């Protein structure tokens, strides 16, 4: 809780400073001559605040939503204190850190990497897959080789803190995928830029202590992330298996296409997931959360149980953390 307050206050403090400059700068540190439309960002969890801050800066320089989402989530990937994404992410049950990420732009181009080792910024490798190959997805050793050949450096991603947590876990080796604020999770970000284009990115070290080789929803286009520039974008966090089995993010976007608001669409998919799992004995460990952003800049979010929060940033209200509505206690 303390950590949460700290993050919240810090980010608000930074933003407040930015707002003071807004009169002179036309935005948070944005030069007056840069064209601004209705830029909007939405990201998952507490760490979304810092990611939004960076993405906002990038959009303020007149860059695209695609550049913004990549730059934003790279902040989380590089943060050793975030134990569920990139550097500092908790390893699998064999002690190996394996990363999953994807990115999607306004032209429905998509790139993805899964089960990637030793590379701190999987989202940027995913973007390279999208831009420099005829494919959407590379995994494992092939993804690693591609990254190295593309100029990314190999490094040890297992921090001393993550290794310590792993050794502690080994004492019982009890596997329960607990997903909530306290061990906050995958960073997903959706952005609408000044040109009215949408993009999204999603990156994670996946469920801590997962089976070696396990891949969740996060790198799967349609599950962890989906963008349709005619309608909107959606992204997910939580138990990847539940999100994959319901084609979560694609479904949220499709519901928006059929006329639901981002909020209504997120609520409907959570309702569906609840209906599928409600009689299972391990429901208490299930958490799923969705964020959505429409083409017109409207945001929405919903989760299964209390504990999921998300960060929204726009010109009028700044960068703020919001507790998502939930289906059940
Ligand atoms: N959805 C991710 C996964 O299942 C992790 C998370 O967001 O909790 O790998």
């Amino acid at each position: 809780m303390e950590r949460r307050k700290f993050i919240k206050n810090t980010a608000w403090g930074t933003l407040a400073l930015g707002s003071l400059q807004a009169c002179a700068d036309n935005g948070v540190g944005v030069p007056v001559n840069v064209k601004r439309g209705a830029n909007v960002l939405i990201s998952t969890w507490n760490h979304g605040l810092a990611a939004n801050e960076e993405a906002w800066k990038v959009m303020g320089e007149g860059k695209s939503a695609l550049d913004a989402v990549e730059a934003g989530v790279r902040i989380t990937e590089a943060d050793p204190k975030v134990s569920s994404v990139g550097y500092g992410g908790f390893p699998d049950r064999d002690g190996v850190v394996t990363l999953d990420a994807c990115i999607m732009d306004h032209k429905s181009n998509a790139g993805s990497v899964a089960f990637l080792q030793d590379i701190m910024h999987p989202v940027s490798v995913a973007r390279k897959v999208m831009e420099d190959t005829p494919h959407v997805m590379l995994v494992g050793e092939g993804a690693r080789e591609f990254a190295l050949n593309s100029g990314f450096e190999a490094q040890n991603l297992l921090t001393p803190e993550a290794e310590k947590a792993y050794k502690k876990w080994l004492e019982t080796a009890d596997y329960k995928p607990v997903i909530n604020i306290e061990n906050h999770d995958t960073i997903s970000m959706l952005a609408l830029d000044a040109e009215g284009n949408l993009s999204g990115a999603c990156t994670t070290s996946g469920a801590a202590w997962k089976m070696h080789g396990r891949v969740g929803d996060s790198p799967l286009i349609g599950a962890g992330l989906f963008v349709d520039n005619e309608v909107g974008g959606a992204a997910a966090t939580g138990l990847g298996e539940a999100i994959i089995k319901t084609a979560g993010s694609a479904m949220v976007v499709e519901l928006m296409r059929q006329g639901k608001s981002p909020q209504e669409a997120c609520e409907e998919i959570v309702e569906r997931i609840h209906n599928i799992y409600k009689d299972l004995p391990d429901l208490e460990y299930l958490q799923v959360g969705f964020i959505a952003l429409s083409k017109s800049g409207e945001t929405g979010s919903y989760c299964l149980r209390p504990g999921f929060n998300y960060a929204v940033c726009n010109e009028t209200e700044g960068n703020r953390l919001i507790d998502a509505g939930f289906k059940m206690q």
Side-chain angles (χ1 to χ4, degrees), residues 5-291:
K5 269 191 210 144
F6 171 77
I7 294 171
K8 199 170 176 176
N9 292 341
T10 305
W12 267 112
T14 312
L15 189 74
L17 193 62
S19 312
L20 287 177
Q21 291 166 346
C23 306
D25 290 351
N26 189 30
V28 184
V30 180
V32 273
N33 57 349
V34 172
K35 178 184 168 206
R36 295 299 294 268
N39 291 343
V40 184
L41 297 166
I42 181 167
S43 310
T44 52
W45 304 106
N46 304 10
H47 45 220
L49 282 175
N52 278 0
E53 222 168 292
E54 181 65 20
W56 191 257
K57 243 187 268 165
V58 167
M59 288 209 293
E61 290 161 6
K63 293 191 183 150
S64 65
L66 181 68
D67 289 332
V69 293
E70 181 190 7
V73 303
R74 278 174 63 98
I75 296 293
T76 326
E77 288 181 337
D79 186 346
K81 295 188 296 306
V82 179
S83 61
S84 49
V85 180
Y87 179 59
F90 283 171
D92 63 19
R93 61 183 57 185
D94 294 354
V96 184
V97 179
T98 73
L99 305 178
D100 301 332
C102 71
I103 193 160
M104 191 163 188
D105 75 8
H106 64 287
K107 292 182 175 163
S108 294
N109 295 311
S112 161
V113 288
F115 192 50
L116 175 64
Q117 295 173 38
D118 303 330
I119 307 290
M120 189 191 279
H121 290 299
V123 72
S124 296
V125 185
R127 183 165 177 179
K128 280 255 169 225
V129 173
M130 175 172 92
E131 291 179 342
D132 296 355
T133 82
H135 306 303
V136 168
M137 188 167 194
L138 293 178
V139 305
E141 191 47 35
R144 186 176 178 279
E145 258 174 45
F146 170 75
L148 296 178
N149 291 336
S150 303
F152 291 86
E153 277 176 23
Q155 65 187 98
N156 178 18
L157 301 177
L158 187 66
T159 58
E161 292 73 24
E163 190 172 11
K164 197 169 146 203
Y166 172 61
K167 288 193 173 139
K168 177 102 185 105
W169 175 75
L170 278 180
E171 288 169 14
T172 56
D174 191 15
Y175 181 62
K176 292 193 180 88
V178 180
I179 292 164
N180 247 327
I181 279 176
E182 295 72 21
N183 63 335
H184 51 81
D185 232 273
T186 300
I187 176 99
S188 301
M189 179 187 286
L190 303 164
L192 178 68
D193 65 23
E195 306 299 324
N197 286 324
L198 291 157
S199 287
C202 182
T203 176
T204 190
S205 52
W209 336 131
K210 62 195 174 186
M211 286 177 72
H212 189 61
R214 181 263 189 187
V215 169
D217 61 305
S218 305
L220 302 180
I221 300 297
L225 174 73
F226 195 67
V227 174
D228 178 334
N229 205 46
E230 288 184 352
V231 177
T237 182
L239 188 69
E241 284 73 7
I243 297 160
I244 294 170
K245 286 190 263 187
T246 48
S249 294
M251 211 52 78
V252 171
V253 173
E254 200 48 34
L255 288 165
M256 286 160 66
R257 179 181 281 283
Q258 290 169 17
K260 305 250 185 218
S261 69
Q263 183 61 34
E264 290 166 342
C266 290
E267 287 178 17
E268 182 160 336
I269 192 69
V270 169
E271 187 73 41
R272 266 187 222 177
I273 291 174
H274 177 254
N275 282 341
I276 293 168
Y277 284 92
K278 65 179 186 296
D279 298 325
L280 296 184
D282 54 357
L283 183 67
E284 62 180 301
Y285 299 116
L286 177 61
Q287 171 67 307
V288 291
F290 288 89
I291 55 172

